[in-house]
Amino acid sequence: MYGQLPFLIDPQNHKEKKAVYRKKYDGSLAIFNLMIILMLTIFYASVAEAQRLDIFPEKARIHPKLESVLTELQEEYEKNTVTGQEFAMKRDIRVKDQDKVTVFLISEIGQTTDAIDKKLLRAYGANIIKSADNVLKADVPINRLQQIADKVKGISYIRLPDRPVPLTQSQGVSLTGASSYQSAGYTGSGVKVAVIDGDFAGLSSTISNGELPSNVVMVDCTGVSCISTTFPSETGKHGTGVAEVVYDMAPGAQLYLIKMDDRLDLKDAKDYCISNGIKIINHSVGWNNTNFYSGECYNVNPVCTADNAYANGILWVNAIGNDAKRHYEATFTDSDGDGWHNISANYETINISATAGETIKVALTWNAWPTTNQDYDLYLYDSSLNSSVARSENLQTGTQSPTESISYSVPSTGTYYLSIYKYSATSNHQLEVYSANHDLTPAVASSSFSNPADARGVMAVGAIDYWYWTTGPQESFSSQGPTNDGRTKPEISGPDYVS
């Protein structure tokens, strides 16, 4: 069962109070029902103030130019450094030396990053890393975030960089018939293939064991520019595993392993591929909240990057994702007028079962791109439904994107509850929710892919279980199309559940 939102926030004192569960009672138990009705009547009277369901506290503490979690981060650091660091860890925010955080600074509408006052930005202690179009990436002091938002000209919005989500890799040389091609001499010889990913741990042992060739080219695009590297301090092996699959399928190809960490890095990686004559890109990575999953190019998002690669003669192959059970979509519905989205007639939350130590990561967007004044918010409640443990309350006043996101490190095992609130919108929009690490209840499999699988220049790949390769169907968790503008996805599928 998925739960009903039991809490509202009193606008007078901002304290969370229990509201009353709406329940249906069996008319055959007349006496019992009468007792319950009397009890509820007394209870309703005692909490009448908390049932003003059309009122919600003003987001006065949220800066209009800051992602709401950045406002919270600065407030926590201003209490003391330890509290700030604990908050950052709980919200999966990477804090650098000298208490700096990497952010994207978005220039004002219609302007490039040239409009941003970089001299003043540096004077506030920021270290500028790179920029493209209207997005500038910089490390900024946490205690100067609001000051930078207020004082530095040319900035429309400041937010955390997009984080890519690794998607499962697989191999299946014999199943796909690749062995027959290899026997006939088609091994990929003379073709340059890039694996663009976020993690390449264990390369040295992988090469020495013969799982990868010794002539792989290793490139790091996470800094100011793309540079040669040996990946000495990697922790994740996702990219390494993907590279092994490519090598199994095309052992004669020249492999380039290119590391990225956000969408500006991804653009740099693509530009590197164009400059070096690479003709095939594998990107087994997904991105959320960079468009409305209709193949639109906004603000140097992965769709822009993939389509530009295609325009330059590169085949971009992208995993469609594993989100059929981690995706929810619906048109916002408020059947009882309390401002909360109704998942069904009687429930206002989406369930997530999580284990202590795991991180719940959820992204919400709605069909009001690229900027909007239609404002929705996202909340995560704890297992006992006693308090909101994380919230995303970005202001949408006309210059911000229609996005909210939550990242929360779970302290105890249990069920957690997502809820969506219409803070200020003139119509009911189509909602898209993605969970990076956990299944959602309920979930919607249709249109459950991530970016840039929706790009017109991308070949998207779904998954079929190894044992059912000749008959199908696709895996129950494999993301599905169509795109939100009606195009068929994926274009092809590959085997999974193998070594």
Side-chain angles (χ1 to χ4, degrees):
M1 293 292 289
Y2 40 96
Q4 179 185 16
L5 184 70
F7 300 107
L8 303 165
I9 300 180
D10 184 346
Q12 303 302 317
N13 56 23
H14 291 194
K15 290 184 178 178
E16 294 178 344
K17 296 182 178 180
K18 281 193 174 181
V20 180
Y21 283 119
R22 296 183 294 274
K23 298 192 178 193
K24 296 180 180 178
Y25 299 93
D26 188 342
S28 63
L29 302 176
I31 297 176
F32 178 76
N33 280 0
L34 180 59
M35 293 173 62
I36 294 296
I37 290 171
L38 289 172
M39 291 171 64
L40 287 177
T41 301
I42 296 171
F43 187 66
Y44 267 96
S46 66
V47 296
E49 184 180 15
Q51 293 179 51
R52 292 183 295 179
L53 304 182
D54 59 338
I55 297 176
F56 199 74
E58 295 295 327
K59 296 187 285 192
R61 64 188 179 85
I62 304 301
H63 195 290
K65 290 187 176 182
L66 283 177
E67 186 174 6
S68 65
V69 72
L70 289 177
T71 302
E72 292 182 85
L73 179 66
Q74 181 170 348
E75 290 175 351
E76 295 300 318
Y77 261 86
E78 287 174 349
K79 294 176 183 176
N80 61 72
T81 301
V82 173
T83 301
Q85 290 173 342
E86 289 176 350
F87 177 85
M89 290 180 62
K90 196 173 291 185
R91 297 296 191 273
D92 194 26
I93 299 173
R94 301 172 185 173
V95 175
K96 296 191 173 182
D97 293 340
Q98 300 176 345
D99 294 334
K100 289 185 177 181
V101 62
T102 303
V103 296
F104 280 170
L105 298 96
I106 313 299
S107 62
E108 293 176 347
I109 294 176
Q111 301 291 319
T112 68
T113 57
D114 291 339
I116 296 176
D117 187 343
K118 298 180 181 63
K119 182 177 180 180
L120 183 56
L121 185 60
R122 290 189 180 95
Y124 282 126
N127 174 38
I128 297 173
I129 301 171
K130 64 176 68 173
S131 65
D133 295 344
N134 68 333
V135 183
L136 186 148
K137 179 180 176 181
D139 294 335
V140 303
I142 294 171
N143 63 356
R144 292 289 185 89
L145 280 166
Q146 295 189 41
Q147 197 172 10
I148 289 172
D150 287 331
K151 302 296 184 181
V152 177
K153 293 182 179 180
I155 295 175
S156 171
Y157 198 62
I158 303 175
R159 53 165 296 177
L160 291 170
D162 307 282
R163 288 275 191 89
V165 179
L167 305 175
T168 303
Q169 74 277 355
S170 65
Q171 54 187 210
V173 173
S174 60
L175 293 179
T176 60
S179 54
S180 298
Y181 280 93
Q182 292 174 12
S183 298
Y186 297 99
T187 64
S189 178
V191 179
K192 296 179 178 180
V193 179
V195 174
I196 302 179
D197 209 280
D199 300 287
F200 290 101
L203 282 175
S204 178
S205 61
T206 303
I207 292 171
S208 63
N209 291 334
E211 295 290 340
L212 284 175
S214 59
N215 66 341
V216 293
V217 179
M218 306 176 199
V219 182
D220 186 351
C221 292
T222 61
V224 176
S225 60
C226 296
I227 59 173
S228 296
T229 185
T230 58
F231 296 122
S233 57
E234 297 292 289
T235 56
K237 295 184 177 182
H238 183 265
T240 305
V242 173
E244 289 181 36
V245 175
V246 174
Y247 181 53
D248 286 343
M249 298 291 285
Q254 172 63 63
L255 291 183
Y256 288 75
L257 310 185
I258 308 177
K259 179 180 174 65
M260 54 83 225
D261 197 40
D262 56 53
R263 55 176 142 148
L264 294 191
D265 299 341
L266 185 64
K267 176 186 178 297
D268 283 354
K270 176 266 300 178
D271 291 341
Y272 176 92
C273 291
I274 294 172
S275 298
N276 286 273
I278 294 169
K279 291 303 180 183
I280 299 174
I281 290 174
N282 176 289
H283 192 53
S284 294
V285 173
W287 306 74
N288 298 127
N289 277 11
T290 69
N291 68 1
F292 198 64
Y293 310 100
S294 300
E296 311 108 319
C297 168
Y298 299 124
N299 302 343
V300 207
N301 71 2
V303 169
C304 304
T305 298
D307 281 345
N308 184 257
Y310 177 76
N312 281 274
I314 295 175
L315 170 63
W316 187 296
V317 183
N318 213 102
I320 196 170
N322 308 312
D323 295 325
K325 296 181 178 180
R326 299 179 175 184
H327 166 256
Y328 171 84
E329 69 174 29
T331 299
F332 182 87
T333 302
D334 183 12
S335 58
D336 52 4
D338 64 355
W340 297 101
H341 172 58
N342 281 90
I343 307 301
S344 69
N346 297 317
Y347 296 97
E348 295 174 324
T349 65
I350 302 170
N351 287 17
I352 295 177
S353 295
T355 302
E358 294 179 341
T359 299
I360 293 175
K361 291 186 177 182
V362 183
L364 164 69
T365 189
W366 51 99
N367 58 333
W369 281 84
T371 56
T372 186
N373 62 356
Q374 304 294 292
D375 195 338
Y376 294 85
D377 293 323
L378 182 64
Y379 295 84
L380 181 68
Y381 285 82
D382 67 7
S383 300
S384 60
L385 282 167
N386 282 330
S387 63
S388 171
V389 294
R391 58 184 66 195
S392 182
E393 300 174 315
N394 300 335
L395 282 171
Q396 280 90 27
T397 59
T399 60
Q400 304 90 351
S401 62
T403 60
E404 304 288 343
S405 61
I406 284 174
S407 183
Y408 178 71
S409 179
V410 175
S412 58
T413 299
T415 302
Y416 291 78
Y417 302 93
L418 280 175
S419 56
I420 301 168
Y421 186 79
K422 184 202 279 189
Y423 178 76
S424 175
T426 57
S427 61
N428 295 330
H429 290 74
Q430 185 180 353
L431 308 171
E432 292 275 2
V433 178
Y434 283 84
S435 170
N437 301 325
H438 300 87
D439 291 351
L440 301 177
T441 304
V444 177
S446 178
S447 299
S448 55
F449 55 86
S450 50
N451 309 133
D454 59 324
R456 290 167 177 80
V458 163
M459 176 183 283
V461 184
I464 297 177
D465 191 298
Y466 177 98
W467 298 104
Y468 302 101
W469 173 245
T470 57
T471 61
Q474 68 193 54
E475 285 279 23
S476 60
F477 58 76
S478 187
S479 295
Q480 301 178 20
T483 62
N484 279 340
D485 60 340
R487 289 175 290 115
T488 300
K489 292 283 181 175
E491 284 83 1
I492 196 170
S493 291
D496 76 341
Y497 200 62
V498 293
S499 171

